[in-house]
Each structure stands twice: as structure tokens, then as C-alpha cells.
């Protein structure tokens, strides 16, 4: 039950003055409440102004700059009405001791103009000044009041992100009424932290954000923004912690076999594990041995060697008689995992199968029978694995590769196909710590640092497309020396046809220029065609592979040494880093050529610079976050931090860490939120729409 003290905040916005059903719809679209119900007063209140108008700016007419919003103390001069049927505007002149200005009106009623701007009288007028042919003018001033009424004009007005059809004044009026509805709420932050930060209480913070006294009040680092952002972060961290605690009590299965099968897998590898691979395996073994479910993120830069960690730990689960699933984001990757794991599995005695969307019905039925009979220990596949019709005899562990491409639902869907399924998420896009926290909550994390021994760093250069021929020449020289080259063509998102034309064209040009066969891989080819092309390239029958970004993740040809990325300016940082990670996997020095088409925009230029300067995936991810906010890294392409209305991953990273610790401490001392602070925290969860987590509390 929602605490009644919150009722005023959960009233629909249409209860506010000036908001009818039509406006309510616009507001809902703007503030993003739940899709199936009207936006609430709380939804509206979390719509924070992005800037403000300061009407205290009174420079005088002559000193008003073009584009500034100013307040002028003027004497109204002559009105000049346009001739009838003319499209010309109505003009009113006015002056102060510094100069003269014209107020300009289109389609305004004359009687209203004469009443509002009475000739010869003093008026306080506020609006945006524009200089036109060296003369100042103001089109449709926002305010015109007599000196006695001057205090009716708000000195500072918040400016909200708006949507078409919704007037700023309507929103301001509704917001004012909404602020008056904010009840006195119990304090959910602990006293020492409040004292240390000096933050105001929630109600005061929110009210100030909607009636700021200066620009600094609505900036991300103001105490008012920090307070509300922290509340939002705490609500989310607490909810995640509750979900996680619940998941743990739901019980996993203790899996502690003697490790024979794991050892067999490791012995079958043609190399030694690195220390951080060993550590990660140890972490995961320990998780599996606990009676709770595992939820762990394995982070490691491209080429760090995550796959063998997954396989070794899957072996542990398989030894107990359960089954494992490994999910890859693309078919190529699934096939590649399958191919690279097959010899090891065979040697270790693990029965493995591949499942993709391309399987025939007959193949699928056969596979399904084997899964149900427990005749398959490990299935590698694409999202085909998620399908409701796929079942297992006893699914014990799921590994999700390149997680950021899958939604959380899909992850949960798969783990519900078994009892107490342990989940390992692997990501090669090194997600910055702050985003791990916001999106996964307090997930356990293992990191693979560095790369397997013997790897050489990759030299990166950026070159203008004008020098295409020169680059082709160098590629030719390299292939004659026996090197292998990837050549990536960009995705033109609007049209798959144009993409196709572009890679086919480049393929032709390269074959012609190099005088040898060149492989081609793109999304429209059949699996068999792709496999054949990849095989040719892997085995060295061809030395150049032209591809669209289908090769972006995971593809592994250890002796490829050159990566050419055409139209590099169109790619995001994370994507460039992923692509570059396809080379530098063997012991030979490698290079990456970023072919760009100038002139470069600021962000594109910054990206290419970062790529040249560093090979460190974590650094690149942080920069990426800085350059474009969190949304795109996770593929959600929203502005701001996904799932949050106020808090921002870039600006409030420090608060996120505190909120996580705070949430953990809260659940340690008061797991059922029964204390006085616990009751207040329940309010907080409702307030930010995280109340689903409350259902998980045993005491309801
Ligand atoms: P990623 O972390 O990008 O998924 P992979 O698991 O695909 O990396 O590993 C990249 C390559 O490195 C593969 O060819 C793999 O066999 C190899 N590899 C993994 N671990 C080691 C190691 N300890 N020593 C040498 N090569 C390794
Ligand atoms: Mg991988």
C-alpha cells in the first residue's frame, strides 16, 4: 500500500489548473510517466528546468545586447498601426534615457495594445531584444506592467524543456500549483550524511528547483539538484539491492564438483591462462559453490580472453550434471564460439550444440529432443535460445556474451528456463563503473586486466579518404609480405541497399587494385556464405576481408594485423575500439587505419584523437561517456542517463557510489525496511516508481 502522505503527488496532472485532457496528454509525453496512465503531479515535478530567464537584467535600451532577455523601464511613445489589409506589423516606439526601441506585434488586437502600452506613460517591459539594421526592437514582449504592478513580474523564471503545443506559461502555472502540493515527507536520508553534505530536505530542494533564485541553483552540482539526484539514485540502488537479495534467497544450487572437468578444459587449451583469467575463474567457482544464485559481470577489453573463462566455469556446472547455455549477439559470433570451443569440448568430453535462427525445423526438433533428454551439456546460440519453446532438462548456468546488446528481460527470460540458474554476463565494451552501477546495480564484477602475454600494442593512424589510393597501395605491400587485412565499410543506417552497394563496390575496387581474390562478408549473405568467406580468410586463401560491421564483435583471426576502417568519423568510440580489437591478437605488431572524410566535426575529431592516443578500453569508455552521455553506450540512444530523470551518470558519478553503499548498509541493518527510516525509504521507493521492489519484502 502506498503511504497516504504521498497521495497529493500521485494525483493526475489534470487536477492542476490549466491542464485539461488534451494538455495532460502532451504533459505525459513530455515528462514520461507510465504509458498506461495519466502523468502524475510527481511525474511533472521531476521535470526540472534546464535554464532560467533572469528578468533582473536591466541594462537600459542602448546597452541591451542582441538576443538578450532584458527588462526595460520605458516611456511609451507613438503607436503606428499598419494600413488595413497590410501584412506589416504593428509598431510601438518607446524610450529611456539611453535610447529608443520599437515593440513589434503581429496580429494583435489594437484595443489590447492601447491598454497595455498607453502612449506617454511609464511601463516596465520585459522580453528579448533583437538588433535589426542597427536599431533595437522587441517582438511580442513577454511582460508590460505599470511601475506599481512591477512585482507581478517574476524576477526569475524557470525554463523547461517543452513540447510542441505546450506553452511555457501553462507549464509554469501548473508547476507552481504542483509545488504547493508537495507534502511534508519523512526524512529518508541519514542525519550524519545530511549534515555532512548540508543538503536541504527533499521538499525544499524540489521547490527551489522550480523557483530558482539564480542559474547556479539548477546546475547539476547545486545542493538542490544533488539532493534530488541522490534521492533518485538511492531509490534505484535500494530497489536493485532488494531484487538481488530476493534473487539470492530464492536459492541457487550449490555446485562444488571436484573440478575434474574444469581441469580437462584448461588442459586442452593450447596456452597458459593469465593470472587475471585464473582469478576470474576462482571468483566464479566460489559463486557457483554458494547456495545462492550467481549474478556476475565479467568485464574485459576486447581480446582479453573472456571466452575460456566462460567455458572453464561452465564445465564446473556441467560436471554436476546440469546444462549450460552461452548466448552471443550475432550469428557469426555464435558460430565462431562454437567453432573455437568445439575441439576443446571434444577433448574434455563436453557434448556441445549450436542453435541459431537459421536452423531448419527438423534440426531444431532434433536439438530440442536432445536438450530435453540431457544429451547435450552445452548449447551455444543467438537470441534463438530465448524463445519460449526452447526448454532444457536442467539448465544450471547461462553465459551472456556482449551483454549490452541484450535487454534485461531477455537475460531474465533465459535464467527462468531452469532452477536457480547462475548468470554470468560478459562484456567487451568496457562499461564504466558508473554505468555498471546504474544499470546492473550491485552486481559482482570480475575484470580481466591486460591482455594475454606476447601481444603487441596496436599503432593507430588517421588518414583522409583523399589518400585512399596510397592506403590501398600499402595494403597491397602488406599482403604481399603475407599479412592479413580487415577492411571495414561503414553502415549507412538509412538504407541497407546503399550499404550493400558500398561494400560490394569497395570489394571490387580492392580485388582489381590488388590483383588477388578478396573475401567479402555482409549481413545479407547466408550463414554458409559467411562461413565460407571467413574460412577463406582464416586459412589464408584470401588475405583481405571486406566487411560491414558484422565483424564488430568477437571475430577472431589471430594473425590479422591491419584494420582499415572507412568513414571512421561515422563510428562511435566504443565501436571503433571494438573494431580495432580485431587486430593485435597475435604476436606480430598491428596497425589500425582510420580513414575519414573531412572536414571533421568537433566530436568526430575528438574521437579519432582519443583512438590515436590510447588503446585502453576503459579510458575510451569513460571518454565516450563524456562525449555523448550514457545512453548510446548501452545502445538505448536516449539523451541523459537511461532510466533516470534527474541523476546523470556523468555529473553524479560520485553520488552513485555513495548511494550504492548506503543501500547496502540499509539492507544489512534493516532488511525488511521496518524501522522509522525504513518507512521513510518505502515512501522514497514509491516516489520514484521503484515500488515493485517493495512487493519483494517478506513483510509486505
Ligand atoms: P574476448 O575477451 O574479446 O572475448 P577471446 O576470448 O575471444 O577474447 O580471446 C581472444 C583470443 O585470445 C582467442 O584467440 C583466445 O584463444 C586467445 N587467448 C585467450 N586467453 C589466452 C591466453 N591466456 N594466452 C594466449 N591466448 C589466449
Ligand atoms: Mg568475446
Amino acid at each position: 500500500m502506498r503511504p497516504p502522505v504521498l497521495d497529493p503527488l500521485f494525483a493526475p496532472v489534470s487536477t492542476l489548473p490549466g491542464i485539461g485532457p488534451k494538455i495532460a496528454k502532451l504533459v505525459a509525453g513530455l515528462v514520461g510517466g507510465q504509458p498506461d496512465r495519466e502523468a502524475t503531479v510527481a511525474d511533472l515535478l521531476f521535470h526540472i528546468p534546464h535554464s532560467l530567464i533572469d528578468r533582473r537584467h536591466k541594462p537600459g535600451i542602448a546597452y541591451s545586447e542582441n538576443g538578450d532577455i532584458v527588462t526595460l523601464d520605458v516611456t511609451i511613445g507613438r503607436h503606428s498601426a499598419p494600413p488595413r489589409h497590410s501584412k506589416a506589423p504593428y509598431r510601438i516606439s518607446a524610450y529611456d534615457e539611453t535610447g529608443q526601441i520599437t515593440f513589434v506585434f503581429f496580429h494583435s488586437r489594437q484595443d489590447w495594445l492601447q491598454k497595455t502600452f498607453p502612449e506617454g506613460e511609464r511601463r516596465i517591459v520585459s522580453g528579448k531584444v533583437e538588433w535589426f539594421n542597427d536599431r533595437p526592437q522587441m517582438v511580442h514582449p513577454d511582460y508590460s506592467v505599470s511601475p506599481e504592478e512591477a512585482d507581478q513580474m517574476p524576477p526569475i523564471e524557470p525554463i523547461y524543456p517543452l513540447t510542441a503545443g505546450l506553452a511555457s506559461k501553462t507549464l509554469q502555472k501548473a508547476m507552481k500549483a504542483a509545488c504547493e502540493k508537495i507534502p511534508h515527507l519523512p526524512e529518508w536520508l541519514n542525519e550524519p550524511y545530511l549534515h555532512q553534505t548540508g543538503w536541504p530536505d527533499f521538499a525544499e530542494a524540489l521547490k527551489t528547483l522550480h523557483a530558482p533564485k539564480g542559474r547556479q541553483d539548477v546546475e547539476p552540482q547545486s545542493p538542490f539538484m544533488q539532493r534530488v539526484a541522490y534521492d533518485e539514485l538511492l531509490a534505484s540502488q535500494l530497489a536493485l539491492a532488494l531484487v538481488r537479495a530476493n534473487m539470492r534467497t530464492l536459492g541457487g544450487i550449490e555446485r562444488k564438483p571436484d573440478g575434474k572437468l574444469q581441469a580437462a578444459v584448461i588442459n586442452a587449451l593450447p596456452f597458459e591462462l593469465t593470472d587475471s583469467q585464473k582469478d576470474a575463474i576462482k571468483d566464479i567457482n566460489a559463486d557457483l559453490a554458494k547456495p545462492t544464485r550467481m549474478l556476475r559481470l565479467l568485464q574485459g577489453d576486447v581480446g582479453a580472453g573472456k571466452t575460456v573463462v566462460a567455458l572453464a566455469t561452465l564445465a564446473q556446472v556441467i560436471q554436476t550434471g546440469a546444462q549450460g547455455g552461452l548466448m552471443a549477439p550475432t550469428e557469426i559470433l555464435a558460430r565462431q564460439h562454437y567453432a573455437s570451443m568445439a575441439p576443446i569440448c571434444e577433448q574434455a568430453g563436453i557434448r556441445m550444440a549450436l542453435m541459431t535462427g537459421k536452423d531448419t525445423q527438423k534440426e531444431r526438433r532434433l536439438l530440442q529432443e536432445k536438450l530435453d533428454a540431457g544429451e547435450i551439456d552445452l548449447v551455444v546460440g543467438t537470441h534463438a535460445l530465448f524463445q519460449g519453446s526452447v526448454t532444457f532438462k536442467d539448465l544450471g548456468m547461462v553465459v551472456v556474451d556482449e551483454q549490452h546488446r541484450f535487454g534485461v528481460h531477455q537475460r531474465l527470460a533465459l535464467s527462468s528456463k531452469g532452477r536457480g540458474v547462475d548468470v554470468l554476463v560478459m562484456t567487451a565494451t568496457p562499461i564504466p563503473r558508473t554505468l555498471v552501477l546504474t544499470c546492473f546495480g550491485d552486481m559482482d564484477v570480475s575484470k580481466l586486466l591486460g591482455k594475454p602475454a606476447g601481444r603487441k600494442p596496436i599503432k593507430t593512424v588517421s588518414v583522409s579518404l583523399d589518400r585512399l589510393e596510397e592506403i590501398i597501395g600499402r595494403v597491397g605491400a602488406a599482403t604481399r609480405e603475407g599479412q592479413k587485412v580487415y577492411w571495414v565499410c561503414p553502415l549507412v543506417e538509412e538504407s541497407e541497399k546503399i550499404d550493400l552497394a558500398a561494400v560490394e563496390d569497395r570489394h571490387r575496387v580492392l580485388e582489381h587494385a590488388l590483383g588477388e581474390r578478396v573475401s567479402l562478408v555482409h549481413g545479407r549473405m547466408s550463414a554458409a556464405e559467411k562461413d565460407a568467406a571467413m574460412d577463406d580468410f582464416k586459412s589464408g586463401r584470401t588475405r583481405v576481408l571486406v566487411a560491414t560491421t558484422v565483424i564488430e564483435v568477437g571475430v577472431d583471426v589471430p594473425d590479422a594485423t591491419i584494420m582499415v576502417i572507412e568513414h571512421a568519423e561515422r563510428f562511435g568510440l566504443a565501436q571503433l575500439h571494438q573494431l580495432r580489437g580485431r587486430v593485435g591478437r597475435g604476436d606480430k605488431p598491428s596497425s589500425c587505419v582510420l580513414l575519414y572524410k573531412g572536414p571533421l566535426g568537433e566530436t568526430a575529431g575528438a574521437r579519432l584523437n582519443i583512438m590515436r592516443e590510447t588503446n585502453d578500453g576503459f579510458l575510451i569508455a569513460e571518454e565516450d561517456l563524456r562525449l555523448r552521455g550514457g545512453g548510446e553506450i548501452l545502445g538505448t540512444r536516449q539523451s541523459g542517463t537511461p532510466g533516470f530523470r534527474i541523476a546523470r551518470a556523468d555529473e553524479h558519478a560520485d553520488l552513485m557510489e555513495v548511494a550504492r553503499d548506503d543501500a547496502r548498509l540499509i539492507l544489512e541493518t534493516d532488511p525488511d525496511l521496518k524501522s522509522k527510516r525504513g518507512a521513510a525509504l518505502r515512501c522514497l521507493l514509491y516516489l520514484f516508481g521503484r515500488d515493485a521492489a517493495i512487493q519483494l519484502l517478506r513483510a509486505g
Side-chain angles (χ1 to χ4, degrees):
M1 269 285 288
R2 188 174 67 217
V5 62
L6 294 175
D7 287 351
L9 293 175
F10 281 83
V13 281
S14 55
T15 58
L16 297 170
I19 301 200
K22 225 165 112 192
I23 301 282
K25 271 218 182 87
L26 292 176
V27 170
L30 185 64
V31 304
Q34 315 259 329
D36 52 340
R37 61 161 174 78
E38 204 181 308
T40 64
V41 171
D43 291 330
L44 184 66
L45 284 167
F46 291 137
H47 193 58
I48 304 293
H50 58 71
S51 65
L52 46 84
I53 294 176
D54 191 343
R55 299 203 188 275
R56 297 170 305 183
H57 185 44
K58 297 174 183 168
I61 292 172
Y63 305 106
S64 296
E65 304 217 13
N66 185 35
D68 272 6
I69 290 175
V70 299
T71 299
L72 303 172
D73 186 339
V74 296
T75 305
I76 305 294
R78 271 191 32 177
H79 285 223
S80 41
R84 276 169 75 80
H85 306 304
S86 151
K87 289 228 171 86
Y90 190 103
R91 295 169 187 277
I92 301 172
S93 78
Y95 55 91
D96 65 10
E97 61 272 25
T98 71
Q100 199 180 358
I101 190 167
T102 307
F103 302 138
V104 180
F105 300 88
F106 296 89
H107 312 295
S108 294
R109 278 181 28 226
Q110 197 161 344
D111 52 344
W112 177 80
L113 287 168
Q114 267 156 359
K115 206 175 89 208
T116 317
F117 298 89
E119 206 168 320
E121 287 191 27
R122 207 178 132 209
R123 282 290 179 275
I124 314 295
V125 179
S126 186
K128 188 181 192 177
V129 175
E130 281 156 315
W131 286 79
F132 197 69
N133 288 338
D134 288 338
R135 287 166 203 232
Q137 61 175 40
M138 190 182 282
V139 181
H140 291 262
D142 302 332
Y143 290 90
S144 169
V145 295
S146 67
E148 300 79 55
E149 301 163 328
D151 57 351
Q152 287 179 9
M153 198 173 74
I156 291 178
E157 254 174 70
I159 303 293
Y160 295 95
L162 285 176
T163 182
L166 184 61
S168 178
K169 285 207 168 141
T170 309
L171 195 59
Q172 284 177 13
K173 192 169 152 203
M175 206 60 96
K176 209 165 162 196
C179 280
E180 278 157 21
K181 290 195 171 212
I182 303 175
H184 176 75
L185 295 171
E187 182 56 75
W188 46 74
L189 296 192
N190 73 20
E191 181 52 42
Y193 189 55
L194 261 187
H195 189 77
Q196 180 199 327
T197 54
W199 290 340
D201 67 34
F202 172 78
E204 189 196 330
L206 201 52
K207 283 178 188 168
T208 307
L209 290 176
H210 292 294
K213 296 196 179 57
R215 205 167 300 270
Q216 70 283 358
D217 285 355
V218 294
E219 273 166 10
Q221 297 306 326
S222 86
F224 312 103
M225 279 295 267
Q226 292 223 329
R227 165 75 214 227
V228 183
Y230 185 80
D231 289 339
E232 184 176 38
L233 291 170
L234 181 61
S236 117
Q237 287 301 304
L238 191 57
L240 283 167
L242 282 167
V243 169
R244 185 184 153 92
N246 183 258
M247 202 176 129
R248 297 222 143 144
T249 59
L250 277 184
I253 293 166
E254 285 180 43
R255 300 190 191 274
K256 30 185 171 186
D258 63 10
K260 256 200 204 108
L261 194 58
Q262 183 166 77
V265 165
I266 293 171
N267 287 334
L269 296 172
F271 46 74
E272 275 282 302
L273 293 176
T274 63
D275 286 346
S276 69
Q277 282 172 323
K278 286 182 195 157
D279 288 345
I281 291 174
K282 222 184 277 166
D283 287 346
I284 298 167
N285 283 347
D287 286 350
L288 295 173
K290 284 184 207 157
T292 49
R293 291 168 63 167
M294 170 172 77
L295 186 55
R296 181 173 289 273
L297 187 66
L298 178 61
Q299 276 194 303
D301 207 348
V302 188
K306 295 180 290 295
T307 318
V308 297
V309 173
L311 186 56
T313 51
L314 281 162
Q316 199 75 344
V317 172
I318 291 166
Q319 200 192 334
T320 67
Q323 293 161 299
L326 189 152
M327 255 181 348
T330 64
E331 207 185 300
I332 283 202
L333 253 183
R335 286 177 188 283
Q336 185 181 295
H337 274 317
Y338 180 78
S340 69
M341 284 157 59
I344 298 161
C345 285
E346 194 172 341
Q347 207 171 320
I350 293 173
R351 296 164 297 177
M352 184 173 58
L354 176 70
M355 182 187 291
T356 75
K358 298 268 167 70
D359 299 342
T360 63
Q361 273 193 354
K362 193 172 156 217
E363 284 169 335
R364 180 63 62 86
R365 207 181 47 239
L366 227 90
L367 182 55
Q368 184 58 62
E369 277 167 17
K370 286 186 175 170
L371 279 175
D372 286 334
E375 287 163 14
I376 285 173
D377 303 313
L378 173 58
V379 56
V380 175
T382 56
H383 55 273
L385 283 179
F386 293 125
Q387 285 163 8
S389 59
V390 179
T391 52
F392 293 83
K393 175 162 184 256
D394 180 14
L395 181 65
M397 173 170 165
V398 169
V399 178
V400 185
D401 196 9
E402 318 290 355
Q403 150 70 20
H404 61 293
R405 308 209 156 198
F406 294 106
V408 176
H409 324 296
Q410 292 170 309
R411 177 151 48 94
L412 291 178
L414 195 55
S415 61
S416 69
K417 286 180 185 287
R419 284 176 310 129
V421 176
D422 290 303
V423 178
L424 178 67
V425 174
M426 306 199 292
T427 171
T429 300
I431 307 175
R433 174 91 192 129
T434 43
L435 276 188
V436 171
L437 282 173
T438 41
C439 302
F440 302 102
D442 200 4
M443 211 172 177
D444 296 310
V445 177
S446 295
K447 272 190 193 179
L448 295 186
L449 300 168
K451 300 203 174 175
R455 298 276 170 82
K456 296 268 179 5
I458 305 161
K459 183 167 184 283
T460 302
V461 293
S462 57
V463 177
S464 164
L465 256 175
D466 299 341
R467 289 165 57 196
L468 180 64
E469 278 185 33
E470 184 190 326
I471 297 298
I472 293 179
R474 281 206 237 163
V475 164
T479 57
R480 279 191 296 278
E481 265 176 29
Q483 299 192 49
K484 283 188 191 171
V485 181
Y486 287 109
W487 191 296
V488 175
C489 292
L491 225 69
V492 187
E493 265 171 41
E494 301 84 66
S495 157
E496 214 176 324
K497 268 204 193 116
I498 298 177
D499 286 355
L500 209 58
V503 324
E504 283 177 343
D505 196 39
R506 182 57 70 229
H507 177 243
R508 244 188 325 269
V509 167
L510 285 172
E511 274 200 334
H512 181 76
L514 302 177
E516 61 182 60
R517 199 157 71 81
V518 165
S519 293
L520 174 66
V521 177
H522 58 71
R524 283 288 190 83
M525 291 163 66
S526 72
E529 287 170 322
K530 283 187 221 168
D531 284 349
M534 288 302 300
D535 266 358
D536 282 346
F537 184 58
K538 263 193 172 162
S539 66
R541 282 190 291 276
T542 57
R543 305 225 148 257
V544 179
L545 175 73
V546 175
T548 52
T549 45
V550 286
I551 65 153
E552 181 185 337
V553 269
V555 167
D556 192 24
V557 180
D559 57 345
T561 49
I562 299 180
M563 165 65 67
V564 180
I565 305 174
E566 204 171 320
H567 279 293
E569 78 282 358
R570 294 196 195 151
F571 293 91
L573 261 183
Q575 221 180 357
L576 289 173
H577 182 64
Q578 288 278 352
L579 286 169
R580 180 170 61 183
R582 300 304 113 222
V583 294
R585 301 193 145 217
D587 45 10
K588 296 204 196 74
S590 298
S591 54
C592 173
V593 181
L594 306 170
L595 269 180
Y596 65 87
K597 184 150 170 51
L600 288 174
E602 199 178 318
T603 310
R607 280 196 207 118
L608 300 191
N609 278 338
I610 292 161
M611 287 298 293
R612 276 206 313 263
E613 282 162 15
T614 181
N615 268 306
D616 179 337
F618 284 91
L619 205 76
I620 288 173
E622 298 283 355
E623 282 301 312
D624 203 16
L625 185 65
R626 202 177 56 74
L627 284 175
R628 60 178 184 174
E632 282 189 55
I633 293 188
L634 294 157
T636 52
R637 292 185 191 279
Q638 299 163 297
S639 58
T641 300
F644 291 81
R645 307 203 226 195
I646 295 148
R648 291 177 38 185
D650 46 354
E651 295 282 357
H652 300 122
D654 49 336
L655 296 183
M656 172 61 74
E657 305 258 351
V658 183
R660 191 228 16 212
D661 292 345
D662 201 359
R664 184 186 286 171
L665 207 67
I666 289 165
L667 290 193
E668 264 168 30
T669 51
D670 182 17
D672 299 315
L673 300 185
K674 278 189 164 150
S675 65
K676 183 156 165 257
R677 186 180 178 205
L681 285 161
R682 286 176 188 235
C683 274
L684 174 71
L685 289 170
Y686 274 104
L687 197 53
F688 284 97
R690 311 277 183 188
D691 44 292
I694 293 177
Q695 320 301 323
L696 300 174
L697 291 171
R698 262 161 290 151

